Every structure is written in C-alpha cells, then in structure tokens.
Amino acid sequence: MSSRVLSRPALALLRPLALLRRASVAAATWTSRRHERAALSRLDPHLLSDIGLDQATAAQEAQRPFWQA
C-alpha cells in the first residue's frame, strides 16, 4: 500500500475545497428543508392524519426557518 504525502500548496488548496463542499451540502440541505416544509403546509387534514400530524403541528413545522433542523 502506497502512502502519498501532499505538499503544503496542495494541502492549502484542499482546505478551501473542503469548505466549498461543506457549503454546498448545507445549501442543498436548506433547499430540501424549504421545499419539504412548503409541501407540508399544503397538505390537507386527511393527508396530515395519515402521517400522524395535526394541522397545528404541521403549521408550526412549516413556519420554521430552513436553517433549523
């Protein structure tokens, strides 16, 4: 098994790329939450009861900001 040692310039380049990757994942997660909460707010009471939620709980969840898990 070979082991590669990265030079300092290569390591310096990886840090911003890792940060960019984390930001990209966060943006995708936030977009998904925003869409899911919007869809939740459009469900009728019958569908909400199918997933075990009442209207008040669904409305409360739908109003949460996208950055809150």
Side-chain angles (χ1 to χ4, degrees):
M1 184 162 122
S2 70
S3 166
R4 295 185 71 191
V5 177
L6 296 175
S7 65
R8 283 184 187 231
L11 287 174
L13 182 62
L14 289 178
R15 287 189 184 104
L17 291 176
L19 183 60
L20 182 61
R21 169 85 173 131
R22 288 181 64 195
S24 175
V25 168
T29 300
W30 292 346
T31 300
S32 177
R33 283 184 193 151
R34 187 172 51 88
H35 288 284
E36 289 172 5
R37 289 175 180 166
L40 183 62
S41 70
R42 293 188 301 268
L43 292 178
D44 65 21
H46 172 42
L47 293 174
L48 289 172
S49 69
D50 284 350
I51 61 173
L53 294 176
D54 59 18
Q55 286 181 310
T57 304
Q60 184 179 20
E61 179 65 27
Q63 293 174 356
R64 291 177 64 188
F66 63 86
W67 60 85
Q68 287 184 352

